[in-house]
């Protein structure tokens, strides 16, 4: 028997259709390719060397010998396979494109909004551009990365995406925030 | 309670990001050790005041098991080590 499968984003029907972007904007990416890479025992340095950002993908620190790799160039269907070929026996790769949701928070108050739920020093000296870490945001564990002076990426497990957006709206209550899908 | 823990992988974090398992000092007996040794290992714990070693897991961060050495009276934290490294030292 044949089934018709339809890709539905975890946040479909909960956000979108805004009139204009406000001072601060939370942009939800529809289809960023995401893969989890775990270095084989003793091969962390080799795997890290291969994962150096090259414009095709970006590796975000998640734990020792463990990264979330994001790509806007590769399709979700091909990123994990591409990484597996490059990494060979140095690491294990698991596709997470449909398991995680990627959000970008940008705007003048981005760091202030995040500070309402994340107990990590987000001053540019302590958390510079390019830095990434798993952090607790309210009660959810998310991968946070600084992508610019006033912009951060958050990667969260799919089933927690709606709760995270709700939390971010509360955290931004005294700041001007709009939420929508990214147009790409 | 020590409220800030410096994870060797993630930096200084609030205690809410961690799960505390308990005493890190008992050493697992050999598989065929006497029943008494296993009983002590599984059930007996000292309850000291002062400097202690505990297993903490950084659940909301790197998810690694850590050994935190702290004073449960003054809240001072003396050191945080990855449990794998701490285990190597003990061997
Ligand atoms: Zn950690």
């Amino acid at each position: 028997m044949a089934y018709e499968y339809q890709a539905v984003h975890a946040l479909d029907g909960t956000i979108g259709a805004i009139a204009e972007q406000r001072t601060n904007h939370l942009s939800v990416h529809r289809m960023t390719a995401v893969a989890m890479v775990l270095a084989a025992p003793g091969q962390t340095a080799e795997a890290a060397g291969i994962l150096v950002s090259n414009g095709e993908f970006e590796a975000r620190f998640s734990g020792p010998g463990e990264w979330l790799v994001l790509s806007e160039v590769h399709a979700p269907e091909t990123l994990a396979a591409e990484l597996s070929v490059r990494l060979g026996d140095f690491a294990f790769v698991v596709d997470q494109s449909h398991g995680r949701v990627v959000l970008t928070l940008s705007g003048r108050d981005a760091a202030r909004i995040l500070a309402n739920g994340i107990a990590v020093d987000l001053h540019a000296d302590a958390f510079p551009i390019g830095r990434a870490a798993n952090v607790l945001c309210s009660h959810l564990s998310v991968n946070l990365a600084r992508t610019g002076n006033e912009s951060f990426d958050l990667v969260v497990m799919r089933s927690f995406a709606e709760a995270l957006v709700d939390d971010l709206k509360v955290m931004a209550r005294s700041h001007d925030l709009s939420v929508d899908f990214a147009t790409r | 309670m020590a409220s800030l823990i410096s994870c060797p992988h993630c930096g200084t974090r609030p205690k809410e990001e961690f799960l505390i398992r308990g005493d890190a000092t008992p050493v697992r007996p050999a598989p065929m050790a006497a029943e008494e040794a296993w009983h002590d290992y599984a059930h007996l714990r000292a309850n000291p005041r002062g400097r202690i070693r505990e297993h903490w897991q950084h659940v909301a961060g790197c998810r690694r098991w850590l050994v935190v050495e702290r004073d449960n009276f003054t809240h001072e934290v003396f050191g945080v080590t990855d449990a794998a490294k701490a285990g190597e030292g003990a061997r």
Side-chain angles (χ1 to χ4, degrees):
Chain A
M1 187 163 174
Y3 292 93
E4 288 255 337
Y5 291 106
Q6 202 181 358
V8 178
H9 193 277
L11 294 172
D12 261 328
T14 67
I15 58 164
I18 57 166
E20 59 180 342
Q21 291 194 5
R22 308 268 187 81
T23 313
N24 304 289
H25 185 69
L26 183 67
S27 172
V28 181
H29 301 271
R30 269 203 181 274
M31 253 310 145
T32 305
V34 185
M36 171 70 83
V37 175
L38 181 66
Q43 310 290 350
T44 299
E46 286 79 357
I50 296 169
L51 288 177
V52 170
S53 298
N54 60 357
E56 266 181 61
F57 53 75
E58 208 181 307
R60 307 257 167 95
F61 175 82
S62 171
E66 196 178 330
W67 301 269
L68 272 176
V69 181
L70 277 66
S71 177
E72 297 281 349
V73 176
H74 288 281
E77 294 78 17
T78 57
L79 176 66
E82 171 72 25
L83 290 172
S84 291
V85 170
R86 292 192 192 208
L87 289 157
D89 292 335
F90 290 134
F92 309 96
V93 185
V94 180
D95 180 29
Q96 288 289 331
S97 306
H98 297 269
R100 313 268 173 150
V101 171
V102 183
L103 312 106
T104 300
L105 177 66
S106 53
R108 202 179 56 204
D109 311 313
R112 280 172 180 277
I113 292 170
L114 293 175
N116 284 338
I118 296 174
V120 169
D121 187 353
L122 295 177
H123 189 278
D125 293 342
F127 202 87
I129 296 171
R131 176 76 56 88
N134 283 0
V135 300
L136 194 66
C137 179
S138 296
H139 63 295
L140 299 172
S141 181
V142 303
N143 184 271
L144 177 75
R146 186 178 218 126
T147 53
N149 278 331
E150 297 179 341
S151 73
F152 296 85
D153 274 5
L154 297 106
V155 184
V156 66
M157 287 189 188
R158 176 193 170 91
S159 51
F160 294 142
E162 202 177 334
L164 178 65
V165 169
D166 284 347
D167 283 348
L168 285 166
K169 282 182 188 164
V170 173
M171 286 153 64
R173 211 179 255 173
S174 49
H175 305 278
D176 207 16
L177 179 76
S178 54
V179 186
D180 201 356
F181 284 106
T183 48
R184 182 181 72 92
Chain B
M1 175 63 66
S3 57
L4 288 175
I5 299 293
S6 289
C7 172
H9 308 296
C10 305
T12 303
R13 298 300 183 90
K15 71 173 194 323
E16 283 76 12
E17 291 196 358
F18 298 83
L19 176 148
I20 309 170
R21 177 172 165 255
D23 201 348
T25 44
V27 178
R28 194 182 177 84
M32 298 311 289
E35 232 167 67
E36 202 177 318
W38 273 104
H39 176 273
D40 290 358
Y41 173 71
H43 301 295
L44 290 190
R45 292 291 180 272
N47 188 18
R49 187 180 95 161
R51 197 163 172 150
I52 53 164
R53 277 159 59 82
E54 279 176 324
H55 274 130
W56 287 49
Q57 189 190 12
H58 195 185
V59 273
C62 58
R63 302 189 304 284
R64 296 287 297 182
W65 280 98
L66 311 168
V67 173
V68 175
E69 196 161 358
R70 67 183 183 96
D71 191 309
N72 61 10
F73 183 66
T74 64
H75 305 315
E76 189 179 350
V77 176
F78 302 105
V80 186
T81 329
D82 189 290
K85 279 221 171 69
E88 279 167 22
R91 247 175 255 145

